[in-house]
């Protein structure tokens, strides 16, 4: 498969900076480790941004939307039209992610990566359509190798065009828990039955049917073993475009705030191409979708929130956002034992 | 024991309002239940504030501080002086809760409920000292019945004097995980060994010693079975004062955002006096302290965050605060299927 070469993404390993950050954290007026995962987050943000005083600037919430040929097989509880209708809802300010982006001052961009609908151009919308929905993965690959490359390239470009040092990833696409489950199964060797979930709300019989269809899709593409081949075989356009955004953001050493199951599937693909991508990621929440737990395990990642969310859109990333800001503020503003005149632990 | 009578706190049960809120939540443009715990939170905030459009006003972060006679027995890794030093740090703006309160625009009040130190009066500090630290609970009750009543009464008064419809509870007191563990053990019948934790950072031998001391304290007070008797026997002043604040806030139908293990122990006492208190509480985070899991189970409560925090101060409550705001904003601002023209689930 041809694809635009991604420069090698280097590890952020920096023992000197890591030690300086850890010392700074440990000297804060609190018992050692008492801020739990927030301390891990401080260390990570410091290493990504290459400073003892990380500050998050001009955060970009990017929501990638695409349609899925497989949706016609009945793998989702909602009709495909909901994809474009929700894009309109994002842009009109009425969706969960719109409300949360407003609450937290996140710049919201909705990306048409391949929705089966023609949108009128407007502010906040990037029309970067690769096609009018992917093909049916049960009949052939969801997209061609060329489409997959084009999607990745567009994802890179869209990120390059945006300011700031932080990107939050969300998505919308009726049928895309199927793509995520297929990528998880193929790229980590998990049994598809453990990777499939109810998505937007399937009942037991529908879940059974989804599982059977996805098992057939896997059987249909025995050759799609490598990350980009699997991505092309299983889709979707929005996931492929997120792969490009993740790679470019990692290359530019931006903080990547990963939403739920679908956004994580893009990180899974990207990290198999360039493992150091993972050092740039903050996983916002653990989805209610059962495959997400397996995916986070495969990525050796721990999520910040565990609120039983299963909405996507970037809603989990937006909800976790204040925790990232808190980590930076605590690092910058909290007193040390010495500066505050507080006694240290008795020995 | 004599104590100021608390008027009966009524249940918020309101099937009509609950149904209206649930309908409103279900009509939002998202799959049913897809916002997980945030939906439970929307329902709770609506019921507490008695409206389909809850709005949180003038949130008050109250941090109650007190010293503990038992601390001299070596139940904490830090010396008692850290209590007053941290009060100074809160007021100077350098503690975690100071930083987080600033970040989120929470009015911060530090309450001297019984610190062994004389503070200079200043803005943001309420000197409501019941005594210069509690007595050693291994020798007698931590406080007298009269002191316990006075602390509860002060807690009620301090809440009454504050504006707004939401209070966030935090605390500081070297030795107070011991009081919380004792209250948990006595009031729920748990084995003290399951209730004790490392607090600010005890090693294995120190933890063993703390457990032995707390078992002796329990044996020393076989008569302290009822909530207020247990509270007086085991302390501390800051916990007793929080009990008063919780009761008054519940009476006034304010939202009570409960920090970690110690703040929850005050809710445990208050809820055994007036069970409907629990309907007003939002549990912000599950502490790393092992007893907190048992306490939340006893209160049939689920916490919003689980970040491995074990700091107290109200830091967990402050970190969870944006989630409460998100719940209100989503309820107010998110579109419905009808208003946004989005198709509903296929049948």
């Amino acid at each position: 498969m041809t694809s635009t070469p991604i420069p090698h993404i280097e590890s952020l390993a920096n023992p000197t900076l890591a030690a300086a950050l850890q010392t700074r954290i440990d000297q804060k007026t609190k018992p050692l480790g008492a801020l739990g995962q927030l301390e891990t987050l401080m260390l990570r943000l410091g290493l990504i941004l290459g400073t003892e005083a990380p500050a998050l600037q001009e955060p970009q919430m990017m929501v990638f939307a695409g349609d899925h040929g497989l949706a016609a097989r009945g793998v989702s509880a909602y009709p495909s039209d909901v994809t474009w209708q929700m894009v309109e809802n994002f842009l009109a300010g009425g969706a969960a992610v719109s409300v949360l982006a407003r609450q937290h001052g996140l710049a919201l961009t909705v990306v048409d990566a391949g929705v089966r609908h023609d949108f009128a151009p407007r502010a906040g919308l990037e029309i970067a359509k690769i096609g009018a929905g992917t093909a049916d993965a049960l009949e052939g690959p969801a997209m061609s190798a060329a489409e997959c490359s084009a999607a990745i390239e567009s994802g890179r470009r869209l990120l390059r065009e945006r300011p700031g040092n932080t990107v939050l990833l969300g998505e919308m696409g009726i049928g895309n828990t199927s793509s995520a489950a297929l990528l998880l199964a193929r790229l980590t060797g998990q049994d598809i039955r453990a990777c499939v979930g109810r998505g937007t709300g399937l009942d037991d019989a529908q879940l059974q049917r989804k599982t059977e269809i996805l098992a057939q899709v896997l059987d249909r593409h025995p050759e799609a073993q490598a990350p980009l081949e699997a991505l092309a075989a299983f889709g979707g356009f929005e996931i492929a475009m997120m792969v490009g955004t993740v790679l470019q953001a990692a290359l530019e050493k931006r903080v990547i705030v990963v939403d739920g199951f679908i956004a994580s599937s893009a990180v899974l693909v990207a990290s198999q191409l360039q493992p150091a991508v993972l050092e740039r990621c903050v996983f916002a929440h653990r989805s209610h979708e059962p495959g997400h737990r397996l995916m986070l395990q495969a990525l050796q990642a721990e999520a910040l929130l565990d609120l039983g969310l299963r909405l996507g859109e970037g809603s989990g990333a937006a909800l976790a956002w204040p925790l990232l800001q808190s980590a930076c503020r605590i690092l910058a503003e909290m007193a040390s034992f010495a500066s505050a005149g507080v006694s240290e632990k008795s020995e």
Side-chain angles (χ1 to χ4, degrees), chain A:
Chain A
M1 175 178 286
T2 58
S3 80
T4 315
I6 316 285
H8 176 67
I9 296 174
E10 297 198 357
S11 168
L12 298 171
N14 179 341
T16 309
L17 177 57
L21 279 159
Q22 192 61 55
T23 299
R24 201 175 164 106
I25 293 166
D26 290 346
Q27 286 175 346
K28 299 292 185 189
T29 47
K30 57 168 188 55
L32 281 178
L35 281 169
Q37 271 184 270
L38 272 196
E39 299 193 14
T40 317
L41 183 57
M42 291 176 208
L43 201 57
R44 172 150 294 207
L45 297 177
L47 285 170
I48 299 170
L49 299 177
T51 167
E52 283 182 54
L56 304 166
Q57 288 158 357
E58 297 185 79
Q60 303 294 312
M61 168 67 77
M62 299 176 73
V63 183
F64 297 84
D67 273 312
H68 292 256
L70 204 59
R73 302 270 178 187
V75 293
S76 174
Y78 283 80
S80 271
D81 274 349
V82 167
T83 304
W84 74 258
Q85 292 166 349
M86 284 302 295
V87 167
E88 292 287 351
N89 197 20
F90 297 150
L91 293 166
V97 73
S98 324
V99 174
L100 297 170
R102 243 181 349 256
Q103 178 183 354
H104 296 309
L106 307 169
L108 175 63
T109 303
V110 185
V111 180
D112 173 7
V115 182
R116 197 176 300 133
H117 182 81
D118 289 323
F119 295 103
R122 77 203 85 165
L125 173 65
E126 287 279 358
I127 299 176
K129 202 188 286 291
I130 304 297
T134 55
D136 181 349
L138 199 48
E139 301 203 332
M143 66 187 87
S144 68
E147 287 173 324
C148 188
S149 282
I152 291 173
E153 193 49 48
S154 290
R156 295 187 61 189
R157 174 182 57 79
L158 289 167
L159 191 281
R160 270 197 308 267
E161 290 171 358
R162 294 196 145 59
N165 61 11
T166 307
V167 60
L168 302 93
L169 295 179
E171 46 57 49
M172 175 71 215
I174 294 300
N176 67 9
T177 60
S178 290
S179 293
L182 289 163
L183 288 167
L184 173 62
R186 179 54 55 84
L187 296 180
T188 72
Q190 302 276 351
D191 189 311
I192 187 66
R193 286 168 295 188
C195 303
V196 179
R198 294 175 192 275
T200 47
L202 298 178
D203 64 23
D204 287 350
Q206 292 166 327
L207 176 63
Q208 174 65 26
R209 180 169 161 72
K210 177 177 176 183
T211 308
E212 285 165 10
I213 291 169
L214 298 196
Q216 291 169 28
V217 173
L218 282 174
D219 287 346
R220 176 72 181 71
H221 301 282
E223 78 300 343
Q225 298 291 336
L228 290 180
E229 279 70 12
L231 179 60
F234 307 130
F237 291 136
E238 78 280 33
I239 297 176
M241 212 168 280
M242 274 192 286
V243 170
T245 296
V246 166
L247 289 168
Q248 186 65 29
L251 198 60
E252 296 182 15
K253 295 182 183 161
R254 300 202 205 195
V255 177
I256 304 167
V257 188
V258 186
D259 193 42
F261 185 46
I262 326 293
S264 296
S265 76
V267 172
L268 177 66
V269 173
S271 70
Q272 291 204 353
L273 298 169
Q274 300 261 6
V277 155
L278 288 177
E279 299 172 353
R280 278 77 165 173
C281 291
V282 173
F283 290 85
H285 80 101
R286 190 168 73 187
S287 169
H288 192 71
E289 189 74 8
H292 199 214
R293 181 184 297 256
L294 297 176
M295 197 174 274
L296 290 173
Q297 281 169 0
L299 297 170
Q300 297 185 284
E302 197 174 12
L304 289 169
L305 300 176
D306 188 2
L307 292 168
L309 304 171
R310 49 183 174 80
L311 180 57
E313 302 183 1
S315 56
L319 287 165
W321 174 251
L323 297 176
L324 278 79
Q325 291 181 300
S326 294
C328 291
R329 291 186 74 131
I330 286 172
L331 210 41
E333 299 176 23
M334 193 172 159
S336 68
F337 282 101
S339 72
V342 174
S343 308
E344 298 207 45
K345 191 171 167 180
S346 328
E347 291 305 327

